[in-house]
Amino acid sequence: MSKATVGLTVTHRRYVPYSHAHYAGNLVDGAYVLALFGDVATEVCIQADGDEGLFASYSDVQFLQPLRAGDVVEVKATISRVGNRSRDLDFSAYVVCRGRPDQSGSAAEVLAEPLEITRAKGTVVVPVG
């Protein structure tokens, strides 16, 4: 029996290692955040429907600020609509800690306010059970 309800939210946090930097300034490509959105969507499906589900589509993706190696990123997925087999999800990604290579090779700081870097809307599909 489905427990899918509008408002169900799942949150993940992850440290972004320097090995994931692809561009000057230790920038990380946007696909990294989209992969994290896929991971958090999977947990939403498991919690709501007892199945990993399948990611069907993104209807909107906005890259607002850069993600850098050395950051700690928090991603959230919230169910915004429940259909028979589909669930619409609202995604957000925030940097909550940022590396400070300008101070030392291992310096970092907790940001006073999380920095929103990416937001998206997507749809997942789960089996009829």
Side-chain angles (χ1 to χ4, degrees):
M1 180 161 93
S2 178
K3 298 177 189 172
T5 57
V6 171
L8 173 69
T9 300
V10 172
T11 303
H12 290 186
R13 279 190 178 185
R14 179 166 305 159
Y15 172 77
V16 181
Y18 281 85
S19 62
H20 285 37
H22 286 281
Y23 305 104
N26 290 319
L27 294 178
V28 176
D29 62 8
Y32 187 89
V33 175
L34 295 182
L36 296 178
F37 286 167
D39 290 344
V40 75
T42 297
E43 186 179 343
V44 165
C45 292
I46 291 168
Q47 286 196 25
D49 296 288
D51 190 277
E52 291 182 0
L54 296 170
F55 210 114
S57 69
Y58 283 109
S59 59
D60 185 31
V61 177
Q62 298 174 33
F63 298 103
L64 307 169
Q65 297 285 330
L67 178 64
R68 292 188 170 95
D71 288 349
V72 174
V73 63
E74 178 179 276
V75 295
K76 292 183 182 183
T78 301
I79 296 176
S80 58
R81 186 194 63 81
V82 176
N84 290 333
R85 293 184 51 231
S86 65
R87 283 80 175 101
D88 288 347
L89 304 176
D90 292 333
F91 297 96
S92 59
Y94 293 85
V95 171
V96 295
C97 301
R98 177 142 275 174
R100 293 294 309 267
D102 57 313
Q103 293 181 355
S104 78
S106 60
E109 67 182 352
V110 176
L111 300 181
E113 292 291 325
L115 175 66
E116 186 175 21
I117 59 167
T118 309
R119 71 174 75 112
K121 294 183 181 300
T123 301
V124 295
V125 178
V126 295
V128 175

